[in-house]
Amino acid sequence: MLSALLIFLPLVASLMVFMIKGNAARNFALGAAVAEFVLAVFVYCQFKMGNHYQDLTMNNIWVKSLNIHFSIGIDGMSLLMVLLTTFLVPLIILSSFTTAYEKPNAFYGLILFMQMALVGVFTSNDGFLFYVFWELALIPIYFICLLWGGENRGKITFKFFVYTLLGSLFMLVGLIYLYSHTGYGSGLKSWAVQDLYNAGRSMNESQQSAVFWMIFVAFAIKMPVFPFHTWQPDTYVTSPTSGTMLLSGIMLKMGTFGLIKWLLPIVPLALTKWGGTAITLSVFGIVYASCIAIVQKDFKRLIAYSSIAHVGLISAGILSANQQGVQGALIQMMSHGVNVVGLFLIADILMRHTGTRDSDKLGGLRNMNGQFAVLFLIILLGAVALPLTNGFVGEFLLIGGVYQYDAWMAGFAGLTVILGAVYMLRSYQNIMLGEKNVNVGAFGPLATSDKVVLITICAVVIAFGVYPKPLNDLAEPAVKMLLNNMK
Amino acid sequence: MIKLIGLVPLFPLIGFLINGFFGKKMSKSLSGGIACVSVLASFVVAVLAFLELQHSANKSHVIELFSWINSDTLKIPFSLLFDPLSSIFLLIITGIGFLIHIYSTGYMHDDDGFSRFFTYLNLFVFFMLLLVLGNNYLVMFVGWEGVGLCSYLLIGFWFKNTAFNNAARKAFVMNRIGDLGFLMGIILIFVTYGSISYGEVFAKAGTGGTAVVTSIALLLFIGAIGKSAQIPLYTWLPDAMAGPTPVSALIHAATMVTAGIYMVVRSNVFYSISEVASETVAVVGIATALFAATIGLLQNDIKKILAYSTVSQLGLMFLGLGVGAYSSSVFHVTTHAFFKALLFLGAGSVIHAMGGEQDVRKMGGLKGKIKITYITMLLGTIAISGIPPFSGFFSKDEILAHVYEHNKILWFLGMVTSMLTAFYMFRMLFLTFFGNFRGTHEQEHHLHESPKSMTVPLMVLAGLSVVGGLIGLPEFWGQHNWIGEYLSPIILRPDPSILSHETEWTLMGLAVLAAGVVIYFAHAMFITNDVLPENNEEKLKPWQKLIANKYYVDELYNAVVTKPLDIISSFFHKFMDLQVVDGIVNSTGKAVTGIGSVVRLLQTGNIGFYIVSMVLGVVLILLFTFII
Amino acid sequence: MLNGISINYYLLLSTVLFIIGAVGVMARRNSIIIFMCIELMLNAVNLMLVSFSTLHNDPKGQVFVFFIMAVAASEVAVGLAILTMIYRNIKHIDTDLLTNLKN
C-alpha cells in the first residue's frame, strides 16, 4: 500500500497542480514534493525495521488475458533510487524558483508527473508495467524540453525523443521475446520479474545475446553510453535547467538501474560473451567524454560530457557483475545524481547572474562572491571524487569492481581520476579565479532558494562521503541477493 | 592518551570548522589564535601519547572509529593506528606545524585572506595527521588526497594571480597521476589479500607471490613519486613555491612531500620482498637527487633553490629506502623537517624584509641588517650541508653508509649530490647575506628584522637543527641509535650496519672533507672573487643555459603530454563526436527522410491512379495465387 | 441448375457486370459515372450471392444481399450529398480537379 502511495501521491498532486493558476502552483508543487520525500523517508524507516512485505509490496492483476500485473515493491536498490528521486525533485523545484516560467502550472505539473513515472520505473516488479512507466517518463520531459527549452529546441528535442523511443522499442521487443519464453512448466505466461529471469536463463547463448543487445541498447541510449550519447549534450544544454536536472539527476539512473535489475540477472550467458564488448564501450566512453570535456567552454556542456564519463564508469562497474562493481554503481548513482544537480544549478546561477556560461567570458567571480566560490568548490570536489566526499566511495568501489574484471580496463577507467581533475579545475579556475573579467558585471549575493539548495547538496556531499554506511547498508544486501540470484 | 589519539586530528578539524564558518567575523588575533591553539593541543596530546608508548609493551595500538565502507568481503573501517612510525610523524607534523602556525600569524598579518589562510592550514594539518594515523591504506589515501587538496588551495592562495593558479592546478593534477597509481595499488592489495588493513596485509604479504608484490610495490611507489616530487613527476614542486612561504615550509618541505617516504616505510614489507621494486626506488631516488641538485646550482629565486634542494633531499631519502635503510630515511625526514622548515621560514623572513623580493641577485649584505634570520639560516645551511655535529650530518651519513654497503656507484653519486647540495646552499647564503646590497634604495631603507612571532620559531627550529642528530647517533660511536631501535618493530628486515668501524670513520671523514672543500670553493667564488650570477641569459654558456632552464623538462612535458592531450580532445570533439558518431545518427535520420521523400511521390492524390493500382494489385495477387 | 439455366451463365453475367463497373471506375473521371459504376459492381456481387444462395438452398446469402443493398442505399445518399457539395464549390464534378489536399 505504501509503495502504491509513493506513485499516486505525485500523480494526484500533478493533476491538482495543473488546475492551479499562477505562481501558487509552484509552492503547491514544492509542498507535494516535500511530502513525497517525507513519505519516502517513512518507507525507509519501515524498511529498516524489517517490514518488507506487508506494506511495501502490492500485486494486483491488471490485464488478465496477458497476465499483466500491477506489481510494485520496494527492495534495497529501488529504495535507494526512490530516495534519490524524492530527495532531488523538491530541490529541483526549489532551484527553479528564481526563474519565472510561463504557465507554471503546466511546468510543475509535468515535473510531478515525471516523478510519478520515475518512482514507478524504480518500483515496478512486472516487466510490462516497467515498460509502461519507462515510456510514461519520456512524455513529461519531452514537453518540458520542448515548451520551455532554449535555442533550437524543436530539432534537438525531436532527436532526443526519437532516439530514446527507438531504444525503448528494442527493449519492448526484447521483453516480449522474454515473455514468450515464460511459463515452460505451468504453461501460464507471465511478466513477473522473477519469471522473466527464469525465462532468460532457460535460453541458449544466441537467444540471450539477442535479448542482451535489444535491452542493452535501450539502457545505453538512456544513460547514455558511448556511442549512443550524441543526443545528450545538445539536449542537456537546450533544456530548461529543471529539465536538465531531471534528465541527468534521475532519468539517467533509469538506464543504470534497468541494467542492474532488468538485464544482469536475465542474461548471464550473454554477459560472459558480450560483457567485455559493452565494458570496453563504456570505458572508452569515459576517456573519450573526459577528453571532450577538457575543450568545452560552455560550463553546462562540460557537465554534460562529464556526466557521460561518470555514467560510463557506472555502466562498466555494473557489467563487471561483481559485488564491488554493482554496489559501487548504486552508491555512485546516488552521489552523481546529487552532484550533477548541484553543478547544473551552478551553471544556471552563472547564466542568471552574468548572462553567460562561457568560461572565456567569465573570470574572477570569487572576488565578488566568496560563498558561492566555496559551495561551487565543494560540489566540484564531490564530482572529482575526492575522498570524504560522496563521489569517492562509489568511484573506489567501481574501479575496484572493474579491476576484478580486468586490471588494464580498470587502469584505463581510472584515468577519469586524472582527467576529471583536469577539466573541472581548469573550468573552475577560468570561471571563479583570477582577476575579474572585464565582461562580467556585478555578481551579487545568491538568492535564498539557490543558497538553500546548494548548501543542502554540499551537506550531502560531505555527509555521505564521511559516513556512507546508510547507503551501503541498503545497497550491500540487495546486491548480494541479486548476484546470488544470478548464479 | 593513546586511547584518545583521535583527538590529535580532531583539534585541527575543529579549528578548521571554527575558522571556516566564523573566520571572517573574528579578529585576526582570535582567528590565528584558534588555529595555533588547535595545533598546539594536538601536539600536547601527541607528546603525551608518545611518552606513553615508550612505556607500553604493546607498540601498535589500533583505535576503531566507525565502519566506513562495507562491500561483501571488503570491509574498510575508519580506524587509526598509533605505533612508533606514526608517533614520530605525529610529532613532526604537530610540532613543526605549530611553529609554522605561529610564524604565519606574523607573516600573513597584513593579508586580506588571514582567516582563510588558517582555515586551509588547519585543514591541511588534519589531513596530514589522518594520513599518518590511518590503520589501512584507504584512510591513508583519504589523507593523501586531502593534503593534495590543501596544497592546491594554498599554492593558489592568492587566487587573483593566474600563474599561481596554474601552479596550483599543475600540482593537483600531477599528484593525481600518482594517486591513480596508489589507488590501483590499494585495489590490487585488496584483490590479493582480501583486506587493506596494515596488520592483516603485512602478515600475509609473502603469500602473494613476488610478481604481485612487485606490482603492488611499484604501484604504491607511483603514488609516492607524485606526492614526494620524484622523477618524472617532480616539476610541480618548484612551481608550488607560488604559495605563501609558510606553506612552502610546512607542506612543500617538512611534511606533505615526505608522505611518500612514510608510505614506503609503512609498506616496507612489500619492498623487502621485492628486489625489483627496491632497486627502482633507489634508482629513481638517486636520479632525482642528482638531477635536482644540478638544477639548484643555477637558480636565482631563493625559494626555488630551496625547492630543488627539497626535491634532491627527498631523492636521497628514497635512495635510503631503496637500499633498505628505512629507519635512516625516517631519521633524515625528521632532521630535514627541522632544517628545511628553518631555511624556508628564514627565506620567508628575508622576503618579508626585502618587501617581497625573492631574487638573490638583488639581495646581498643582509647579515648585518637581519641578524637573527642570518644566524638561524646559517645554522640551517650548515646542517643541510652535512657538517658535524649538526643534525643533517648524522642522518645523511647514515643513509650514505647504508648505500655504501649495497652499491659503491650509488654511494659515489650520493656523495656528489651532497657536495652539490653544500655548494648551492652556501651559494644562496653568500649571495643573500654577504657582499654589498644590490637592491633598490627603497628596499634598503625598508630592511628590518621580522617580528617576534616569526623569529622565535626560527630560533626553536635552529636549535632543533643543531641538536636533532642526537636521536640517531651512529652505533659505532658506542652510542645508542635511538630512532633505529624505536622503529625496528614496524620494519620487516631492519638493516644494521655491517661495515667495519674503520670504513665508517673513513666514509664520515670523506664526507666532511668533501663538504669542507666545497664550502671553501663556494667561499672563494662568491666572497673572495665576488662572482655574481649572470643576469643576461644570452651570455650564459650552453650548459648553464640548459641547467638554468631546468633541462627544459617543463617544455618537454608541455610538448609531449599537454599539447597532444588538447589536440586529441579537439579531435574527439570536432571530428569524432560531431562528425562521425553524431554524423551516423543524423544520417540515419536523414536516410529515413530521404526514402520518405521518394516514396511520397507515389501518393499522387489522383483517385484514378489509386484505383488502377489497386486493381492491378488485386490482379497480381490473383495471378500469384494461381501460378504458385 | 437454377430455373433451367446453368449457374455458369449467372456467373458470366455477374463477372461481365463487375468488369464493366471496374473499368468504368478506372477510366472515367466524372464522379457521377464513377458512382454508377461502383453501384454496378455492387450489384454484380449481389447477383452472384443470390445465385449461389439459391443454388445451395441457403438463405444466408440473400440476407447478405439485403445488407449490401441497405449499405449501398445509404452510401448513395451520402455520396450524392458530397457530390452536390463538391459541385457547389468548384462547379465541376471531375475527380482530377479535386487537388486541394495535395499541397
Side-chain angles (χ1 to χ4, degrees):
Chain A
M1 205 36 227
L2 268 175
S3 48
L5 201 57
L6 275 173
I7 294 178
F8 289 115
L9 181 73
L11 179 63
V12 172
S14 135
L15 295 178
M16 286 165 79
V17 168
F18 271 114
M19 287 182 286
I20 297 175
K21 284 243 170 75
N23 271 341
R26 68 181 195 192
N27 296 331
F28 184 85
L30 180 64
V34 170
E36 172 83 352
F37 179 58
V38 172
L39 183 64
V41 171
F42 180 68
V43 169
Y44 170 74
C45 296
Q46 291 281 312
F47 187 83
K48 283 304 267 186
M49 290 189 305
N51 182 355
H52 290 203
Y53 298 101
Q54 295 95 14
D55 286 344
L56 301 184
T57 54
M58 181 175 176
N59 191 354
N60 290 333
I61 196 111
W62 187 20
V63 179
K64 200 157 186 195
S65 54
L66 293 171
N67 200 12
I68 298 169
H69 286 247
F70 190 89
S71 160
I72 49 181
I74 298 269
D75 61 5
M77 282 189 291
S78 51
L79 185 54
L80 278 175
M81 291 299 112
V82 167
L83 283 170
L84 177 72
T85 310
T86 53
F87 173 71
L88 286 181
V89 169
L91 291 185
I92 292 172
I93 292 176
L94 189 59
S95 68
S96 69
F97 270 32
T98 41
T99 313
Y101 289 107
E102 276 175 47
K103 298 192 200 122
N105 55 336
F107 187 74
Y108 293 104
L110 285 172
I111 290 183
L112 287 174
F113 188 80
M114 175 100 185
Q115 184 180 23
M116 180 277 294
L118 290 165
V119 173
V121 166
F122 295 137
T123 51
S124 50
N125 272 335
D126 182 281
F128 192 83
L129 191 66
F130 171 73
Y131 182 77
V132 168
F133 279 125
W134 176 276
E135 292 294 28
L136 267 187
L138 189 57
I139 297 166
I141 195 70
Y142 171 72
F143 282 110
I144 289 174
C145 300
L146 184 67
L147 299 179
W148 290 275
E151 230 175 293
N152 243 341
R153 57 189 182 221
K155 210 173 155 188
I156 289 167
T157 319
F158 179 72
K159 181 171 165 183
F160 155 63
F161 188 84
V162 171
Y163 207 154
T164 42
L165 190 67
L166 180 79
S168 312
L169 290 176
F170 275 114
M171 177 169 77
L172 182 63
V173 175
L175 285 175
I176 291 173
Y177 186 63
L178 276 174
Y179 170 73
S180 69
H181 277 72
T182 54
Y184 266 123
S186 59
L188 183 66
K189 302 222 176 292
S190 152
W191 290 95
V193 60
Q194 195 58 49
D195 291 326
L196 293 184
Y197 287 179
N198 295 334
R201 271 173 250 158
S202 69
M203 295 175 174
N204 63 31
E205 191 185 83
S206 58
Q207 287 170 318
Q208 283 198 6
S209 301
V211 173
F212 173 81
W213 281 110
M214 276 190 281
I215 299 184
F216 179 73
V217 162
F219 296 152
I221 292 174
K222 197 67 121 194
M223 288 193 277
V225 165
F226 176 87
F228 306 103
H229 65 277
T230 50
W231 62 268
Q232 188 251 36
D234 285 338
T235 312
Y236 279 18
V237 171
T238 307
S239 302
T241 303
S242 309
T244 316
M245 289 170 174
L246 284 170
L247 275 169
S248 59
I250 318 175
M251 200 162 174
L252 180 164
K253 275 76 194 176
M254 284 166 51
T256 45
F257 177 82
L259 215 50
I260 298 176
K261 184 168 174 180
W262 295 95
L263 189 59
L264 271 199
I266 293 179
V267 288
L269 288 179
L271 205 62
T272 10
K273 187 169 181 199
W274 293 108
T277 316
I279 291 180
T280 312
L281 282 182
S282 309
V283 170
F284 179 72
I286 299 173
V287 179
Y288 178 80
S290 303
C291 282
I292 294 179
I294 292 176
V295 289
Q296 295 307 315
K297 300 279 179 224
D298 182 342
F299 188 61
K300 207 172 175 187
R301 198 174 282 272
L302 183 146
I303 309 167
Y305 277 108
S306 90
S307 183
I308 299 177
H310 278 119
V311 91
L313 185 56
I314 294 177
S315 141
I318 295 172
L319 290 163
S320 16
N322 53 44
Q323 175 80 26
Q324 281 77 34
V326 182
Q327 190 183 335
L330 280 169
I331 307 287
Q332 186 71 337
M333 278 149 78
M334 304 291 288
S335 34
H336 174 263
V338 175
N339 297 351
V340 88
V341 165
L343 287 172
F344 277 121
L345 177 57
I346 285 163
D348 190 49
I349 291 174
L350 290 175
M351 191 69 188
R352 263 187 276 126
H353 283 245
T354 65
T356 180
R357 291 184 305 255
D358 188 333
S359 59
D360 281 349
K361 293 181 188 148
L362 291 166
L365 298 186
R366 183 167 185 169
N367 302 325
M368 291 175 281
N369 194 333
Q371 189 188 31
F372 176 58
V374 173
L375 295 171
F376 186 176
L377 186 66
I378 293 176
I379 296 175
L380 182 140
L381 292 176
V384 300
L386 201 86
L388 296 193
T389 64
N390 58 358
F392 175 69
V393 183
E395 197 161 297
F396 172 71
L397 288 173
L398 280 171
I399 296 179
V402 178
Y403 190 98
Q404 290 167 55
Y405 184 84
D406 184 289
W408 290 107
M409 206 65 101
F412 208 56
L415 288 178
T416 182
V417 170
I418 301 167
L419 295 173
V422 172
Y423 61 74
M424 277 299 184
L425 291 182
R426 196 188 272 200
S427 68
Y428 183 76
Q429 181 182 336
N430 286 341
I431 293 170
M432 302 303 294
L433 306 178
E435 288 289 350
K436 180 168 113 53
N437 192 313
V438 282
N439 301 321
V440 182
F443 192 98
L446 299 178
T448 317
S449 58
D450 290 339
K451 220 187 273 184
V452 170
V453 175
L454 285 181
I455 289 175
T456 314
I457 287 176
C458 286
V460 170
V461 165
I462 292 171
F464 286 109
V466 176
Y467 197 68
K469 198 161 178 290
L471 303 183
N472 268 321
D473 282 353
L474 284 182
E476 194 193 358
V479 172
K480 212 179 255 178
M481 209 158 84
L482 183 95
L483 293 177
N484 281 335
N485 212 340
M486 277 179 70
K487 280 169 196 154
Chain B
M1 261 310 158
I2 290 175
K3 289 271 168 292
L4 297 176
I5 203 70
L7 289 177
V8 177
L10 183 67
F11 286 127
L13 182 65
I14 292 172
F16 157 73
L17 291 174
I18 295 176
N19 262 328
F21 281 110
F22 311 109
K24 279 205 178 129
K25 289 162 199 141
M26 294 189 299
S27 68
K28 283 187 176 176
S29 50
L30 182 59
S31 155
I34 287 171
C36 293
V37 167
S38 66
V39 181
L40 178 66
S42 297
F43 179 62
V44 171
V45 176
V47 169
L48 293 175
F50 174 76
L51 293 176
E52 195 178 325
L53 190 69
Q54 305 302 309
H55 305 297
S56 159
N58 180 6
K59 291 290 182 201
S60 160
H61 298 265
V62 176
I63 294 101
E64 296 264 344
L65 294 182
F66 53 88
S67 91
W68 189 30
I69 299 176
N70 279 337
S71 175
D72 201 22
T73 52
L74 175 65
K75 297 212 183 310
I76 305 173
F78 209 100
S79 60
L80 306 180
L81 169 71
F82 189 71
D83 68 354
L85 182 61
S86 46
S87 73
I88 290 184
F89 273 88
L90 279 195
L91 291 177
I92 299 177
I93 296 160
T94 51
I96 294 186
F98 172 62
L99 292 174
I100 291 175
H101 271 72
I102 299 273
Y103 179 91
S104 306
T105 55
Y107 190 83
M108 299 300 289
H109 195 265
D110 299 325
D111 200 282
D112 292 336
F114 188 82
S115 67
R116 190 161 58 89
F117 181 79
F118 281 102
T119 312
Y120 294 162
L121 217 53
N122 267 352
L123 185 65
F124 167 77
V125 174
F126 165 70
F127 276 123
M128 192 67 212
L129 290 169
L130 218 52
L131 194 162
V132 296
L133 270 177
N135 182 37
N136 59 52
Y137 279 104
L138 210 62
V139 178
M140 193 206 279
F141 190 74
V142 169
W144 191 269
E145 288 244 289
V147 291
L149 166 70
C150 296
S151 160
Y152 166 77
L153 292 171
L154 284 162
I155 297 170
F157 180 73
W158 290 305
F159 57 81
K160 287 182 189 169
N161 185 320
T162 307
F164 293 1
N165 288 326
N166 288 338
R169 200 155 48 90
K170 181 175 174 183
F172 193 82
V173 170
M174 285 201 135
N175 267 302
R176 276 234 146 176
I177 297 175
D179 292 355
L180 177 59
F182 190 6
L183 194 64
M184 301 308 283
I186 296 175
I187 290 170
L188 183 55
I189 290 174
F190 158 65
V191 172
T192 315
Y193 303 110
S195 166
I196 57 169
S197 290
Y198 299 141
E200 292 172 47
V201 173
F202 297 151
K204 288 190 267 185
T207 61
T210 318
V212 174
V213 172
T214 305
S215 323
I216 291 175
L218 288 177
L219 283 170
L220 293 181
F221 185 54
I222 293 176
I225 286 178
K227 188 101 328 187
S228 295
Q230 298 295 294
I231 290 175
L233 298 178
Y234 70 96
T235 57
W236 66 269
L237 185 58
D239 287 8
M241 295 302 125
T245 309
V247 170
S248 314
L250 179 62
I251 301 185
H252 303 120
T255 55
M256 183 185 88
V257 287
T258 61
I261 319 280
Y262 168 79
M263 183 232 262
V264 174
V265 177
R266 180 58 83 197
S267 324
N268 67 78
V269 177
F270 295 133
Y271 293 89
S272 305
I273 293 172
S274 166
E275 196 77 9
V276 181
S278 292
E279 275 164 13
T280 313
V281 173
V283 169
V284 170
I286 188 65
T288 312
L290 205 54
F291 192 73
T294 56
I295 299 178
L297 291 176
L298 284 181
Q299 290 300 306
N300 292 320
D301 182 322
I302 187 166
K303 286 180 74 180
K304 288 257 161 93
I305 300 175
L306 291 171
Y308 280 106
S309 153
T310 308
V311 175
S312 168
Q313 294 293 314
L314 290 166
L316 211 57
M317 296 174 209
F318 276 109
L319 175 63
L321 298 177
V323 299
Y326 298 107
S327 60
S328 316
S329 290
V330 176
F331 182 25
H332 198 54
V333 166
T334 316
T335 57
H336 177 257
F338 296 152
F339 56 68
K340 193 50 74 59
L342 166 64
L343 287 167
F344 264 114
L345 295 184
S349 178
V350 170
I351 296 165
H352 196 71
M354 294 287 296
E357 182 59 64
Q358 303 195 3
D359 195 330
V360 288
R361 287 172 297 195
K362 300 192 176 125
M363 297 176 182
L366 297 181
K367 69 175 172 180
K369 311 273 176 38
I370 43 175
K371 254 208 171 80
I372 304 176
T373 309
Y374 164 63
I375 294 170
T376 49
M377 271 192 94
L378 176 66
L379 294 174
T381 309
I382 297 176
I384 195 176
S385 305
I387 307 288
F390 288 62
S391 58
F393 167 73
F394 293 104
S395 52
K396 193 192 283 181
D397 187 70
E398 200 176 312
I399 289 180
L400 286 178
H402 281 286
V403 175
Y404 184 79
E405 271 172 54
H406 283 80
N407 190 322
K408 308 279 187 294
I409 299 172
L410 290 181
W411 171 81
F412 176 72
L413 295 174
M415 279 299 287
V416 173
T417 307
S418 53
M419 285 161 71
L420 291 174
T421 308
F423 181 79
Y424 64 71
M425 287 310 299
F426 272 92
R427 169 179 178 268
M428 183 197 89
L429 191 81
F430 292 148
L431 286 175
T432 313
F433 291 102
F434 290 77
N436 301 317
F437 188 72
R438 297 182 291 274
T440 59
H441 276 293
E442 213 175 310
Q443 283 173 326
E444 191 166 12
H445 181 69
H446 174 262
L447 277 177
H448 61 280
E449 184 56 280
S450 304
K452 277 264 158 27
S453 56
M454 288 165 70
T455 49
V456 172
L458 283 179
M459 291 187 270
V460 176
L461 283 170
L464 289 170
S465 306
V466 175
V467 300
L470 293 178
I471 59 168
L473 288 179
E475 277 163 46
F476 71 95
W477 281 16
Q479 297 295 330
H480 182 74
N481 186 336
W482 174 80
I483 191 163
E485 270 176 38
Y486 184 56
L487 286 178
S488 58
I490 60 127
I491 286 163
L492 180 68
R493 288 182 204 146
D495 189 26
S497 179
I498 45 157
L499 294 174
S500 67
H501 286 186
E502 290 73 27
T503 325
E504 294 230 13
W505 277 112
T506 320
L507 289 179
M508 212 173 245
L510 268 178
V512 177
L513 188 70
V517 169
V518 166
I519 294 168
Y520 175 76
F521 182 62
H523 187 269
M525 192 166 168
F526 296 105
I527 306 267
T528 320
N529 293 338
D530 207 11
V531 177
L532 279 180
E534 188 56 63
N535 278 317
N536 187 354
E537 206 188 301
E538 298 301 314
K539 288 188 192 156
L540 291 175
K541 297 190 187 85
W543 67 270
Q544 287 176 320
K545 209 168 164 182
L546 183 67
I547 291 180
N549 283 302
K550 308 148 205 164
Y551 299 104
Y552 297 100
V553 173
D554 277 322
E555 286 78 2
L556 180 74
Y557 285 176
N558 206 14
V560 177
V561 181
T562 321
K563 282 264 165 59
L565 183 63
D566 271 348
I567 291 170
I568 290 175
S569 303
S570 299
F571 168 78
F572 274 167
H573 181 224
K574 301 251 161 63
F575 181 73
M576 274 293 275
D577 212 45
L578 297 182
Q579 306 285 321
V580 179
V581 183
D582 204 29
I584 292 172
V585 175
N586 284 340
S587 41
T588 315
K590 286 211 186 87
V592 173
T593 328
I595 294 169
S597 66
V598 173
V599 177
R600 188 182 67 99
L601 297 177
L602 288 177
Q603 305 286 319
T604 55
N606 185 330
I607 294 177
F609 175 74
Y610 290 162
I611 296 170
V612 170
S613 32
M614 187 184 90
V615 171
L616 274 179
V618 171
V619 170
L620 276 178
I621 290 171
L622 290 177
L623 275 179
F624 197 68
T625 338
F626 284 126
I627 290 169
I628 297 169
Chain C
M1 292 293 264
L2 304 168
N3 304 329
I5 302 169
S6 161
I7 181 81
N8 288 342
Y9 294 104
Y10 289 95
L11 289 187
L12 197 63
L13 176 61
S14 158
T15 312
V16 168
L17 277 177
F18 190 88
I19 289 175
I20 291 172
V23 171
V25 167
M26 283 186 273
R28 301 301 293 261
R29 289 185 302 181
N30 187 315
S31 304
I32 302 265
I33 305 279
I34 290 177
F35 214 69
M36 285 161 65
C37 289
I38 291 173
E39 292 299 315
L40 207 54
M41 285 154 77
L42 280 173
N43 282 326
V45 175
N46 282 351
L47 177 59
M48 199 178 283
L49 281 167
V50 173
S51 329
F52 277 112
S53 158
T54 318
L55 181 67
H56 294 132
N57 247 340
D58 182 352
K60 275 183 196 158
Q62 303 196 17
V63 173
F64 224 136
V65 169
F66 278 118
F67 272 99
I68 293 176
M69 282 162 69
V71 169
S74 40
E75 190 196 319
V76 167
V78 175
L80 284 180
I82 292 172
L83 282 183
T84 320
M85 292 306 293
I86 290 173
Y87 185 74
R88 276 195 201 155
N89 277 316
I90 61 171
K91 302 288 170 214
H92 224 292
I93 45 169
D94 189 333
T95 50
D96 282 1
L97 294 175
L98 294 171
T99 55
N100 274 357
L101 280 178
K102 201 172 179 179
N103 300 312

